[in-house]
Amino acid sequence: MGSLDKSVPEKLAPPLDATAEQPPLFDGTTKLYTCYTCPFAQRVWITRNFKGLQDEIKLVPLILQNRPAWYPEKVYPPNKVPSLEHNGKITGESLDLIRYLESNFQGPSLLPKDPAKKEFAEELLSYTDKFNGTVFAAFKGDQAKEAGPAFDHLENALHKFDDGPFFLGNEFSLVDIAYIPFVERFSIFLPEVFKYDITAGRQKLAAWIEEVNKIGAYKQTKTDPKELVEYYKKRFLA
C-alpha cells in the first residue's frame, strides 16, 4: 500500500490570519483553502497528498479563529473550510471534494472497481455524519454507552472484507480517508479526558488505526495531540 502512496514531504506555509493579503483568485493555480487542525479539511489534504498532487494543488491555510474577511467576501461565502479553487470556480464540502479530486485529477485510485466494494464504500461514506454526530454528542453523556455503538459499527465494517486491514480490505480508499481524521481525534481525546479506550475489545479498529498511521500521505496531516485536547476541552466541556 505504501508503494501506491505518491505523497512527498513538504514544507508547510504559515497559516493566514485576518491581517493577511488575499492570494490572487482565479490565477490558474488550483488552491485548497484549509486549516491545519480541521478534520474536514484534513480529508481533502490526505487525498491530495496520496494522489501526489502537492505541486498541482497549493495549500492556502487559514487561522479559523481569526480568519481573513476576504475569505467569505470574495472566495467562499459559506466561510468554512475546506474549499477548492479549480477551473475558475470554488467548491466546498469535504466528502464532495475528496470525490472531486478522485474524478478530476491523476494519481492512484481511491475508489474500488469491484461492485460489492463500491456499494459498501457508498454505505460507509453516507454513515460518516451519523458516526461523528453520535460520538460528539457522547462527550456530554456516558461515552462508552452512547459512543460505543458507533465504534462497534466501524469494527463490524472492518470485518466485511478480510483481504486487508482497510474498510475495503486491501485497498486504502476514500472511506478510510473520510473516517481517520475523526477517529484520530476521538482516539486521543476520549482516553485522555474520559479514560475511554475506543480500541478496547475492537481488534480490527486498533489494527486499522495502526495501518493508516503507516501511510505517509496521512502522517503529514496529523494534529498535535496536546493542542487537540485543550481545544476540545474548551469547545465541548466548558
Side-chain angles (χ1 to χ4, degrees), residues 136-147:
F136 280 125
F139 285 5
K140 298 247 187 266
D142 178 335
Q143 294 76 41
K145 197 164 141 206
E146 292 171 33

Side-chain angles (χ1 to χ4, degrees), residues 130-195:
K130 187 178 179 191
F131 170 76
N132 293 335
T134 302
V135 181
F136 280 125
F139 285 5
K140 298 247 187 266
D142 178 335
Q143 294 76 41
K145 197 164 141 206
E146 292 171 33
F151 293 115
D152 289 342
H153 190 102
L154 298 196
E155 176 70 13
N156 294 334
L158 286 159
H159 280 269
K160 172 100 171 170
F161 296 106
D162 57 7
D163 59 335
F166 302 109
F167 281 109
L168 304 181
N170 63 349
E171 297 175 67
F172 181 70
S173 73
L174 294 183
V175 179
D176 304 291
I177 289 171
Y179 281 97
I180 193 59
F182 295 91
V183 173
E184 173 192 328
R185 284 159 177 77
F186 300 149
S187 71
I188 294 165
F189 186 69
L190 289 168
E192 175 72 25
V193 176
F194 300 112
K195 306 287 175 270

